[in-house]
Amino acid sequence: MSHSLTGLSFLGFARGQQGGVTFTGINPATAVPLEPAFHTASFAEVDHAAKLAGKAALILAAQSGKAKALFLRDIALRIETSAPVLAARAQLETALPEARCLGEIGRTVGQLRLFADLVEKGDWVDARIETANPDRKPAPKPDHRSMCRALGPVAVFCASNFPFAYSVAGGDTASALAAGCPVIVVAHPAHPGTAELVAGLIVDAVRSAGLPEGTFSMLVGDGRTIGQHLARAPELRAIGFTGSRSGGRALMDIAAARTQPIPVYAEMSSVNPVVLLEGALTSRGDAIVTGLLGSCTLGVGQFCTQPGLILLTRSPVAEAFATKLAEAFKGAAEGVMLHAGIAKAYQSGLAARIAHKGVQVLARAAHSGQPNRAEPALLAVGAKEFLADPALQGEIFGPCSLVVWCESAAQLREVLVGLEGNLTATLHATDAELAANPDLVAQLATLAGRVVLNGFPTGVEVSHAIVHGGPYPSLSDGRSTSVGSNAIYRFSRLVCFQSFIDSALPLELQASNPLGISRKVDGKTVN
Ligand code: NAP
């Protein structure tokens, strides 16, 4: 691996040109700029990357599961081997501690290997065969065979809060490559050096696998210019995005306005409501204080699953709990945020919410006055005021949570019905409370992609069953997940082959099942 950074885009196997607008990474802990300068890609370079991806699409889609698995495992190994260098650069650019960077690299490598195993096994294509019945009356039944196929070139906008696991080689890239789609990454400007190092490793793996150069490109520059230009590229078939609601929404609107509209999988904002019932507070209130504080402030609150909304029904037990939670928030430490923009957005979001009439500050931890720091804060509002102003359910990205005081069980339900879509919803309840409130669980499942019982929403397991995506605005398309093996379906589509001769069918659909995959034949699963 080359440790020296050039600041240039990767256009397949070639590098972008110097010139145009330049910027640098900035150490958020010190606010000091980092070498080298990064050179924003030109529109011509963006177009070139899109054309290369368009050319690579059919070749990549035709790769066997085994070939794709080898490729993904090679990327994983290269990243794993380079972990110390990658973590060192990421620490400088994001202020995330070494252990977090190394842990996230482990997660990234694990995701790549999960997708490698998935495509090697091959069952993910959901092969279905309905055999012909020429004697059927009144009309003969044709032979139908369907399976998932690669969608085509995918643009991936990196997340600032996951410099590895949701950036250049992160979940979107891994799931798109696994499906057989070329990927064009828009590097996040807050960690451009980390992005360049990882991109170099992927390009090396593309070469080594003998895959076409358009399999992977990475563009340097800002999303609002080169990212939006890329979103309009005719070769593109889908977009993956993690970040602000305004950014995700802009890409959704551009994608919908294209001559050929394309899907956008944008993970935007989520306040992850936590409902705390009285029995749970009575039996383990102190443990909930500790767990909730940890979940709210983990990683300086910069997780999409940070619990930003705490729903309490007023009672002496709930009031005593809120007092203890406030004490815990007050004593919590400030932390360095990922970049100056996020730190500024936190402070202005917090100030605006505190200025809101009806909002009360229960606790605000100390702030040292150093740049890019965020102090934990716990605010409170009555349910009536909360219901009257939709702005109060907007995400404040950082270690801030809002307690909503409900005056009755009925008002709690009214608040839940009024909430926007979320990635997660959490319920703390005793078994008896759970049995007595089945409608609460149903309501939480309506508003979120993952419902957590007696736990905390941060810490997203990468697995076959995880769902990381909920109704808008947590995800632009709440039918999908951006974490776990099911994420592959975002970048594939079903194709049905009708009345084909066996030898002309994809191997997955041939009569002898040469790949030995699980298939549904005439309605029955055959392994
Ligand atoms: P961001 O500003 O949305 O940026 C993410 C990526 O999208 C960057 O590459 C950015 O490039 C690009 N982008 C932003 N606006 C765009 C637009 N209108 N058109 C095209 N591309 C656009 O996210 P961030 O820098 O990570 O953090 C900013 C805020 O986003 C946070 O304060 C937080 O509110 C939210 N956020 C939420 C989550 C979550 O999971 N819920 C995660 C991260 C961030 P440029 O900025 O260079 O244009």
Side-chain angles (χ1 to χ4, degrees):
M1 161 190 199
S2 165
H3 297 180
S4 57
L5 295 170
T6 65
L8 302 173
S9 296
F10 288 84
L11 311 170
F13 295 150
R15 300 304 297 268
Q17 298 289 307
Q18 289 195 349
V21 180
T22 60
F23 66 94
T24 67
I26 294 173
N27 184 332
T30 58
V32 171
L34 298 163
E35 290 293 326
F38 284 77
H39 300 260
T40 297
S42 65
F43 283 173
E45 288 175 338
V46 177
D47 294 343
H48 181 58
K51 281 202 169 58
L52 286 175
K55 271 195 208 157
L58 275 184
I59 302 169
L60 209 57
Q63 296 299 307
S64 68
K66 218 176 203 66
K68 287 187 289 185
L70 275 174
F71 172 51
L72 292 169
R73 288 192 188 115
D74 187 27
I75 299 174
L77 186 61
R78 287 170 194 271
I79 291 174
E80 196 169 49
T81 312
S82 310
V85 176
L86 298 175
R89 179 71 194 190
Q91 276 173 264
L92 286 177
E93 290 184 326
T94 64
L96 292 172
E98 184 186 29
R100 157 73 195 272
C101 291
L102 290 172
E104 207 187 305
I105 290 171
R107 180 188 172 115
T108 308
V109 164
Q111 283 179 160
L112 287 159
R113 290 181 177 145
L114 177 87
F115 283 109
D117 292 349
L118 184 80
V119 294
E120 188 171 55
K121 191 153 182 270
D123 296 343
W124 76 274
V125 299
D126 191 18
R128 293 173 186 221
I129 297 173
E130 286 282 331
T131 47
N133 179 0
D135 301 327
R136 192 182 69 173
K137 299 286 184 260
K141 182 184 173 194
D143 183 280
H144 276 164
R145 292 166 190 246
S146 70
M147 63 179 282
C148 292
R149 309 261 295 176
L151 199 54
V154 174
V156 171
F157 287 72
C158 295
S160 61
N161 58 338
F162 280 97
F164 297 106
Y166 284 87
S167 283
V168 177
D172 286 356
T173 298
S175 50
L177 291 175
C181 302
V183 170
I184 305 167
V185 162
V186 179
H188 198 289
H191 55 257
T194 310
E196 181 176 340
L197 292 173
V198 176
L201 297 174
I202 299 179
V203 171
D204 288 347
V206 174
R207 278 185 207 275
S208 165
L211 291 170
E213 62 170 333
T215 300
F216 177 84
S217 291
M218 188 198 79
L219 301 170
V220 172
D222 70 303
R224 287 165 187 83
T225 46
I226 65 133
Q228 291 199 7
H229 188 73
L230 175 64
R232 294 188 175 93
E235 292 84 1
L236 222 57
R237 290 293 172 269
I239 295 174
F241 170 91
T242 306
S244 60
R245 193 187 302 201
S246 58
R249 187 70 223 200
L251 292 171
M252 286 171 70
D253 293 345
I254 289 169
R258 289 165 50 111
T259 307
Q260 182 187 9
I262 55 172
V264 177
Y265 297 99
E267 189 192 317
M268 295 171 279
S269 60
S270 182
V271 292
N272 307 299
V274 176
V275 178
L276 302 171
L277 298 189
E278 190 173 338
L281 295 179
T282 305
S283 60
R284 43 188 178 82
D286 288 352
I288 296 175
V289 166
T290 308
L292 202 47
L293 177 76
S295 190
C296 290
T297 58
L298 185 73
V300 202
Q302 299 167 112
F303 285 110
C304 42
T305 50
Q306 193 262 5
L309 212 57
I310 299 166
L311 306 185
L312 285 170
T313 308
R314 202 177 287 284
S315 73
V317 172
E319 284 175 353
F321 169 84
T323 303
K324 280 193 176 168
L325 187 63
E327 280 164 15
F329 261 80
K330 189 136 185 63
E334 67 172 18
V336 184
M337 299 201 89
L338 289 157
H339 63 76
I342 285 189
K344 197 167 157 222
Y346 180 72
Q347 293 302 343
S348 60
L350 189 57
R353 188 147 298 169
I354 289 172
H356 192 288
K357 77 176 172 36
V359 171
Q360 186 198 350
V361 180
L362 295 184
R364 191 168 180 180
H367 192 295
S368 63
Q370 288 183 278
N372 303 328
R373 267 63 176 177
E375 74 284 26
L378 185 67
L379 313 179
V381 69
K384 208 164 145 225
E385 289 77 14
F386 182 80
L387 284 164
D389 186 355
L392 286 172
Q393 57 169 302
E395 178 187 68
I396 296 180
F397 198 64
C400 169
S401 299
L402 178 67
V403 171
V404 180
W405 281 114
C406 304
E407 298 305 326
S408 64
Q411 196 174 40
L412 169 66
R413 280 150 177 84
E414 208 187 326
V415 169
L416 288 174
V417 168
L419 289 183
E420 292 186 315
N422 278 277
L423 293 170
T424 71
T426 299
L427 176 65
H428 280 263
T430 61
D431 290 357
E433 285 173 327
L434 203 55
N437 294 282
D439 67 308
L440 260 188
V441 176
Q443 184 56 40
L444 297 181
T446 301
L447 71 88
R450 178 163 57 101
V451 184
V452 180
L453 180 65
N454 294 334
F456 301 95
T458 40
V460 181
E461 185 70 26
V462 180
S463 71
H464 296 298
I466 188 73
V467 174
H468 191 71
Y472 184 89
S474 65
L475 205 67
S476 52
D477 184 341
R479 293 166 299 178
S480 62
T481 175
S482 59
V483 177
S485 58
N486 273 323
I488 198 170
Y489 294 110
R490 297 171 305 159
F491 303 125
S492 68
R493 68 183 179 88
L494 284 167
V495 178
C496 175
F497 296 88
Q498 181 170 328
S499 304
F500 263 59
I501 58 164
D502 202 54
S503 59
L505 283 164
L507 294 177
E508 290 86 345
L509 300 177
Q510 290 184 1
S512 66
N513 192 10
L515 299 179
I517 59 174
S518 169
R519 312 192 292 187
K520 197 166 257 183
V521 181
D522 293 328
K524 291 202 176 69
T525 301
V526 179
N527 290 306

